[in-house]
Amino acid sequence: MSKNKNVTFAWAVKNIIWPRRKTIFIGLLLIIVTRPAGLVLPWATRYLIDDVAANGDLELLKWLLLAIVTALTVQAVGSFLLTRILSVEAQYLISELRVKVQKKVLSLPISFFDNTKSGELVSRIMTDVEGVRNLVGTGLVQLVGGILTSAISIFFLIQMNPYMTALTLIPVSIFGIIALKAFGKIRPIFRERGKINAEVTGRLTETLNGVRVIKGFNAEASENKTFEQGAVKLYENIKSSLTATAFVSSMGTFLIGLASAGVLGMGVYYIVQGEMKAGELLSFISFLGFMIAPILQMSNIGSQLTEAFAGLDRSEEIMKMDPEDQTSQRPIVLDKIQGDMEFHDVSFAYEEGKEVLHDINFKAPPGSVTALVGSSGSGKSTTASLAASFLTPQKGLITIDGHDLSKVNLESYRKHLGVVLQDDFLFEGTIRENVIFPRPNATEDEIQAAVKGAYVDEFTDRFEDGLETLIGERGVKLSGGQQQRISIARALLANPKIIILDEATSNLDTESEMYIQKSLNMLMKDRTTFVIAHRLSTIRQADQILVIEDGEIVERGTHDELIANEGRYFDLYTYQNRI
């Protein structure tokens, strides 16, 4: 555990505190000015009572009041500037870290997203970094300021009465040891809280996205129960941390209360003995308060810093993950591509020891259409994902224009790639915004060509707002066929050299399929295309058809050749035609 803490602290100093050293230095200067100014009042109390009140020294009263007012002014202005400068910087840092973590998350491979809930990632990006406000904001500086105030107060206390000071420091030291031990125990609780919060947020996100399924199956009660279990688990975690911090706080109050009682007793004894004046005792008690208050405040700040480091632990885990497009491992940059792709003895497994593809071999020449057919779960989509570079084979080699795809810079490859996935994803906004997604700076002529090529205009011309029509979250205001055509228009506008069509016609009615089949023929022209389709009538013109079953290519050829062979493809085709 200690090693993990050291790593996080070093990372925080290097990446968060040191780059903002000027701002933090200004904050420390303000603390150095304001905290001593706050001690002027207890310092002046002794002279107000023992000299001004006892001897009627009004001249001294004038100077003391001037000193007090000046100190209060310095303290007020300094506190305002401290909060204004550091709090604003802290919020900027939070924004900056969110951007960095989000950028890092998007750089991770597809497999990471397959194993992580989107809601959990939202929590990591938005919530985990919030604690850093206590590192750059007033928290860390106030911690330093508290130490400074306590140190100055102890100096004055020792000067006034070392025996009473020693009596005070014993319980304060005991409290410090308890606090350090407690915060070591609390940190794992805060880490676990972040994990639980991410799980609950993830489930809630899924619930809201799947509300139609939930209502359709009358499953509201079940979802409510699941969320309630997560909320209770989060509550139990918070209860544990509150119990620990409450124990620290109560122990501090008890021990420091004992110290205060002892000081009062000794002080009164010294006054009776004539060894201390009333003003000195009152001044001592005031300095004692200034020493103790920061220590109690530091317990609260310590809890905040512990929570901050727990969140940073989780952010650091993300930032240390390897991105999918590493320059050292993918040094080949493609300026242009022909689209000549080959699979050489390619095998792939999502889980070790459980291959879903076995020794796949085929060539997809430039401008050719390769259709992948087979029963559900046979490996068609996995093959297409490998061609799209979403996955990397464990064995074998995939080449693009003779280059090993696993060594090709992904950005340089994917700018020549267009995809229309089985589960089309449309962003909330207008139809136009979704069409221009791959090329926001496309000209109006290019946009219109893509819209017409995918027959999007066939239905947008009937909409009052045309391409500016709002489609709702995930395009819920459109039919499946309309969503599919927008996705194909998006691919057309990207003008790729390689196209992956995964069930591209799966959501289309007969009329829409007719429109799309025409546009697909144009889209496929002079482009290397991979088509996955259960509706075999849509791939009759493919240059080659690969029949995949149980992760192996069991047949290959053109439509006419495979029909003549009367093998697996013949069975699938004739079965669909009977239906």
Side-chain angles (χ1 to χ4, degrees), residues 349-355:
Y350 291 100
E351 298 178 30
E352 189 173 351
K354 297 180 180 178
E355 283 190 354

Side-chain angles (χ1 to χ4, degrees), residues 167-377:
L167 178 66
T168 301
L169 292 177
I170 293 172
V172 169
S173 299
I174 295 173
F175 169 70
I177 294 171
I178 292 174
L180 287 174
K181 293 286 186 182
F183 292 138
K185 300 281 187 183
I186 293 172
R187 183 170 178 178
I189 297 175
F190 280 128
R191 276 183 57 84
E192 183 66 18
R193 180 186 301 180
K195 181 180 178 182
I196 296 170
N197 188 63
E199 290 174 353
V200 174
T201 304
R203 182 66 185 194
L204 179 60
T205 303
E206 287 182 341
T207 299
L208 297 178
N209 286 336
V211 67
R212 284 172 172 76
V213 176
I214 292 169
K215 289 184 175 294
F217 286 96
N218 194 32
E220 290 93 338
S222 175
E223 281 302 305
N224 291 340
K225 184 178 180 180
T226 301
F227 182 77
E228 182 181 358
Q229 289 172 344
V232 169
K233 189 176 179 182
L234 184 60
Y235 155 73
E236 294 291 342
N237 178 276
I238 294 173
K239 184 174 72 172
S240 298
S241 65
L242 287 176
T243 302
T245 52
F247 173 75
V248 173
S249 179
S250 61
M251 285 302 297
T253 303
F254 173 70
L255 291 171
I256 291 171
L258 285 179
S260 301
V263 165
L264 284 173
M266 288 185 69
V268 172
Y269 173 79
Y270 284 133
I271 290 175
V272 171
Q273 295 296 319
E275 298 178 16
M276 179 178 276
K277 294 180 181 180
E280 283 184 282
L281 177 59
L282 185 58
S283 181
F284 188 95
I285 293 173
S286 297
F287 274 113
L288 181 63
F290 274 88
M291 183 194 78
I292 290 174
I295 293 174
L296 290 175
Q297 184 185 32
M298 279 188 278
S299 67
N300 182 46
I301 294 173
S303 177
Q304 294 174 358
L305 293 178
T306 302
E307 185 174 6
F309 278 116
L312 284 174
D313 282 343
R314 289 166 52 78
S315 297
E316 188 181 5
E317 289 174 4
I318 292 283
M319 298 304 292
K320 284 186 173 181
M321 291 181 179
D322 293 330
E324 63 172 348
D325 199 6
Q326 298 185 68
T327 304
S328 59
Q329 297 181 14
R330 291 181 172 272
I332 302 173
V333 177
L334 303 177
D335 293 326
K336 295 181 179 180
I337 67 172
Q338 299 299 316
D340 186 8
M341 183 170 285
E342 296 186 26
F343 278 53
H344 304 273
D345 298 320
V346 171
S347 296
F348 180 82
Y350 291 100
E351 298 178 30
E352 189 173 351
K354 297 180 180 178
E355 283 190 354
V356 294
L357 289 181
H358 318 288
D359 299 322
I360 298 294
N361 287 278
F362 69 88
K363 295 181 180 181
S368 65
V369 177
T370 299
L372 308 173
V373 303
S375 55
S376 180

Side-chain angles (χ1 to χ4, degrees), residues 453 455 458 485 511-520:
Y455 290 88
E458 185 272 330
R485 278 186 265 177
E511 184 179 6
S512 294
E513 183 178 348
M514 178 186 66
Y515 285 132
I516 294 305
Q517 201 57 56
K518 293 179 181 178
S519 65
L520 286 179

Side-chain angles (χ1 to χ4, degrees), residues 432 434-443 445-451 487-496 523 527:
R432 177 187 294 275
N434 276 276
V435 171
I436 67 173
F437 179 75
R439 291 179 58 200
N441 298 322
T443 66
D445 288 342
E446 291 171 331
I447 295 171
Q448 290 300 324
V451 166
S487 296
I488 294 175
R490 187 161 60 188
L492 275 168
L493 185 63
N495 193 26
L523 176 62
R527 295 182 172 97

Side-chain angles (χ1 to χ4, degrees), residues 44-89:
T45 301
R46 173 181 179 179
Y47 299 99
L48 284 170
I49 295 175
D50 293 341
D51 294 327
V52 175
N55 303 323
D57 191 345
L58 297 180
E59 182 67 20
L60 180 59
L61 174 63
K62 180 177 69 174
W63 288 107
L64 288 174
L65 290 177
L66 179 62
I68 291 171
V69 171
T70 301
L72 291 174
T73 303
V74 169
Q75 193 176 14
V77 173
S79 297
F80 169 77
L81 292 175
L82 183 66
T83 303
R84 174 69 176 78
I85 293 171
L86 292 182
S87 295
V88 169
E89 182 65 23

